[in-house]
Amino acid sequence: MKNEEKVISVKNLVKKFADFTANDNLTFDVYKGEIFGFLGANGAGKTTAIRILCGLSSPTSGELNVAGFDVYKQTEKIKQNIGYMSQKFSLYEDLTVYENIKFYAGIYGLSNAQIKFKANELINKLGLQEVQNKLINSLPLGWKQKLAFSIAIIHNPKIVFLDEPTGGVDPITRRQFWELIYQAAESGITVFVTTHYMDEAEYCDRISIMVDGKIEALDTPDNLIKKYKANNMDEVFLKLARKN
Amino acid sequence: MNRFIGFLKKEFYHIFRDKRSLVILFGMPVAQVLLFGFVITNEIKNVKIAILDNSKDYITKELTDKLISTDYFILDKNLKSANEIEGIFKAGHVKEVIIFESNFAKNLEKESKANMQIITDATDPNTANLLVNYTSAIVMDYVNSINNNYKLPLQINTETRMFYNPELASVFMFVPGIMAMILMLISAIMTSITITREKETGTMEILLVSPLKPAQIIIGKVTPYVILSFVNAVIIILLGMFVFKMPVQGNIALLLFENVLFILLALSLGILISTMRNDQQSAMMISMFALLLPTILLSGFIFPIENMPWILQLFAQLMPPKWFIIIIKNIMLKGTSFAFVWKETLILAGFTVFFLALSIKKFKVRLE
């Protein structure tokens, strides 16, 4: 644990859809600068939880604090301090690389000078100089993903939420993508990431494993592997999932 | 403000880089105005007729000349006997046959009464009706003109269509209707598509997670369409004025104001549809079926509302285009001022507020 400062604090979060409980009494804390993995099978309730933390959905009950602000009352303040990248990585296909950067930086209220500086910095960092005036739909998937992530943190948020950011890309690109995540974490941005790739889980500082709406385990990958007497995260996950 | 301009820029990029929306935005209105204006007409022009003149006197000559000197009729054939009539209709290109009885002029002089028969091809009943009306009107007009010489009792013609310059009437009727239809379609379809597209691509989530407020997102998305629809309204008015010689008797500023109001109304409908649907396809289908058909059928655009069963008449009152068409006709054709259309304007404004309030409520619900 790099830091004791809590940036996300969740107590007894419950989210119900009619008679279905998507999040059943979740309690966890996330500390500043850590990479927090949120694991679970499809339908385990990961996306529901992440949507609540981002203010896209409201909780049924529970105490939630994100980036130091209350989820019920201070949604606007939270929005200014978080970044979000969804499964669909959300760039405008008919806009160029540069236009996408400019647009997203613009809606976070960056000044023109800041936008210019940030855009150039980002383009250089990702090596996109050649394609900066090309439409997004002409880029390969891996590039789009890296660009989407860089745009999600362009306003230097305290926390960035990544909802299955690496779906559908090859392991090498995934590896490169995680380099970016490490860099962001090093610069002090807390990374909250959901995934169902178990190899990715091992890149996280701490992980929580969700099964049927509940958190079944929460610890560092090493501790979990020891605790469940497993060889890798895959086995940990299978043991937890079979328990029920 | 900076954010807003950035948002607008992005929307304009979307519009101008998508050929499909460009065609819908600018190609469709012009094509539709021209098509409706020229194709759907209630007037007749250059209809081929045949004449069976059993009398061949100076009056039937004069009458024939009078008929074919108009733009309406072209003399295709002089028939020799009644047996030919059936055949000529079956051949298809002649739509009307006029028969003068023998001794036409003599009968008219002696008995102040002569008979002629008008036979039309009624496979198309509307055209047939029009042909009969036009022909009898021309004949009556002729009779009136010779009445003075012969001191015959004046005959009364109940057919009055001719005296309203039928040539232009139909286009005058259609331009306001087309305007309502196009503005409704473009504004509603385009807004519902542009919003549902962001939902489909997942960018809407990013916008909602950003510090932008839902109202800012909606205003940013629809403002370009307000501007473009307004341009369209002006194009339609200009086409009406210069291509179809439609007069604008009333105040232009008032006319444009009413157009903006109607555009806002249509946009709010588009937003409402997009809050209920998550994909472009179904948003488009709903816009088409829920908006296009009622606009055409129940707005009084083509079919008069007074002739509908009462239940449909009731529905028609709920159709915003109906009120818009009334306003536009009043301003353009009658030159009425705001004092005469404020009620209709108020109704349109009421609809707009209602739909906007409803969609803002729905949009918020989706966020939860």
Side-chain angles (χ1 to χ4, degrees), chain A residues 51 56 79 92 94 99, chain B residues 14 17 198 205 208 367:
Chain A
R51 288 175 65 89
L56 282 173
K79 285 177 171 181
Y92 291 98
D94 54 349
E99 285 161 356
Chain B
H14 289 322
R17 282 179 192 167
E198 298 241 12
E205 279 188 353
L208 291 174
L367 285 181

Side-chain angles (χ1 to χ4, degrees), chain B residues 172-313:
Chain B
F172 287 8
M173 251 176 58
F174 286 124
V175 168
I178 298 166
M179 218 149 110
M181 188 179 83
I182 290 173
L183 293 182
M184 185 59 116
L185 265 187
I186 304 247
S187 315
I189 291 188
M190 295 307 286
T191 38
S192 62
I193 287 182
T194 181
I195 294 176
T196 46
R197 182 164 63 186
E198 298 241 12
K199 286 190 186 176
E200 266 182 16
T201 55
T203 44
M204 187 54 95
E205 279 188 353
I206 307 291
L207 296 180
L208 291 174
V209 171
S210 82
L212 291 173
K213 294 190 176 66
Q216 289 176 313
I217 298 174
I218 290 188
I219 293 172
K221 292 224 59 102
V222 301
T223 305
Y225 292 97
V226 176
I227 298 169
L228 295 174
S229 298
F230 184 74
V231 171
N232 262 320
V234 173
I235 292 177
I236 298 170
I237 294 172
L238 291 177
L239 279 176
M241 284 167 74
F242 294 106
V243 178
F244 299 113
K245 306 278 179 286
M246 176 141 183
V248 181
Q249 309 277 12
N251 188 325
I252 298 244
L254 178 61
L255 182 66
L256 294 179
F257 163 75
E258 299 285 356
N259 269 291
V260 171
L261 181 61
F262 188 66
I263 288 168
L264 291 178
L265 169 65
L267 290 171
S268 57
L269 270 170
I271 298 169
L272 184 62
I273 290 169
S274 65
T275 60
M276 301 188 289
R277 284 282 159 250
N278 287 327
D279 64 297
Q280 296 181 60
Q281 210 68 29
S282 69
M284 192 149 140
M285 292 309 280
I286 291 201
S287 314
M288 293 283 243
F289 284 110
L291 301 180
L292 181 60
L293 287 181
T295 305
I296 293 179
L297 299 176
L298 293 177
S299 66
F301 164 25
I302 296 177
F303 308 105
I305 295 170
E306 299 79 46
N307 300 346
M308 295 174 186
W310 68 270
I311 184 101
L312 286 182
Q313 290 202 24

Side-chain angles (χ1 to χ4, degrees), chain B residues 19 65-66 71 94 126-128 192 195 214 217 226 235 255-256 283 298 301 307 336 338 343 351 364:
Chain B
K19 293 210 177 79
D65 286 346
K66 200 164 164 77
D71 280 344
V94 166
N126 286 336
T127 315
S192 62
I195 294 176
I217 298 174
V226 176
I235 292 177
L255 182 66
L256 294 179
L298 293 177
F301 164 25
N307 300 346
T336 47
F338 187 67
K343 262 191 230 158
F351 273 122
K364 277 193 176 151

Side-chain angles (χ1 to χ4, degrees), chain A:
Chain A
M1 237 153 288
K2 296 176 180 176
N3 201 314
E4 290 303 316
E5 189 191 331
K6 287 179 196 171
V7 285
I8 300 173
S9 157
V10 176
K11 270 186 204 132
N12 308 320
L13 164 62
V14 175
K15 175 71 180 181
K16 285 184 180 160
F17 296 104
D19 52 354
F20 170 67
T21 307
N23 290 158
D24 191 356
N25 224 8
L26 307 186
T27 299
F28 60 89
D29 294 319
V30 180
Y31 299 96
K32 187 170 189 290
E34 78 171 330
I35 301 173
F36 188 83
F38 217 53
L39 274 70
N42 285 329
K46 291 171 293 173
T47 299
T48 308
I50 215 170
R51 288 175 65 89
I52 290 171
L53 292 173
C54 291
L56 282 173
S57 177
S58 56
T60 310
S61 67
E63 269 176 59
L64 291 94
N65 201 292
V66 174
F69 301 105
D70 184 73
V71 161
Y72 296 94
K73 292 176 203 139
Q74 295 168 299
T75 353
E76 296 310 314
K77 292 235 171 77
I78 291 177
K79 285 177 171 181
Q80 193 62 253
N81 287 291
I82 60 170
Y84 173 70
M85 176 181 166
S86 74
Q87 300 161 4
K88 300 176 181 169
F89 48 80
S90 348
L91 298 168
Y92 291 98
E93 296 271 316
D94 54 349
L95 261 55
T96 67
V97 171
Y98 191 78
E99 285 161 356
N100 265 291
I101 300 172
K102 220 177 128 185
F103 171 71
Y104 280 116
I107 62 174
Y108 278 94
L110 270 61
S111 72
N112 282 338
Q114 279 173 313
I115 293 174
K116 219 172 205 169
F117 177 76
K118 280 272 181 186
N120 286 329
E121 186 189 55
L122 204 159
I123 286 167
N124 288 330
K125 191 173 115 192
L126 296 179
L128 296 174
Q129 294 92 332
E130 302 273 307
V131 293
Q132 62 167 313
N133 292 319
K134 288 235 167 83
L135 298 186
I136 293 292
N137 59 21
S138 65
L139 299 188
L141 193 62
W143 293 22
K144 287 190 209 172
Q145 227 155 16
K146 284 183 233 163
L147 181 61
F149 175 74
S150 307
I151 286 177
I153 56 169
I154 199 162
H155 55 295
N156 264 328
K158 286 189 182 157
I159 310 161
V160 61
F161 292 93
L162 310 173
D163 191 6
E164 304 203 352
T166 53
V169 291
D170 57 273
I172 296 169
T173 319
R174 236 158 60 204
R175 181 73 235 183
Q176 291 172 345
F177 186 78
W178 274 86
E179 295 292 328
L180 286 178
I181 294 182
Y182 280 130
Q183 282 176 27
E186 239 139 64
S187 73
I189 296 174
T190 307
V191 180
F192 187 105
V193 55
T194 73
T195 180
H196 53 247
Y197 293 114
M198 291 304 142
D199 59 326
E200 283 189 351
E202 291 176 31
Y203 303 150
C204 298
D205 293 327
R206 281 194 311 151
I207 48 181
S208 77
I209 299 181
M210 274 187 87
V211 180
D212 293 334
K214 293 193 177 87
I215 293 182
E216 288 291 334
L218 199 171
D219 212 329
T220 61
D222 286 346
N223 287 348
L224 284 175
I225 290 171
K226 270 183 219 150
K227 188 176 169 192
Y228 288 91
K229 301 188 176 61
N231 293 321
N232 53 38
M233 280 311 299
D234 234 358
E235 286 179 20
V236 173
F237 185 71
L238 284 175
K239 282 187 178 172
L240 278 169
R242 282 209 190 117
K243 218 174 69 179
N244 297 39

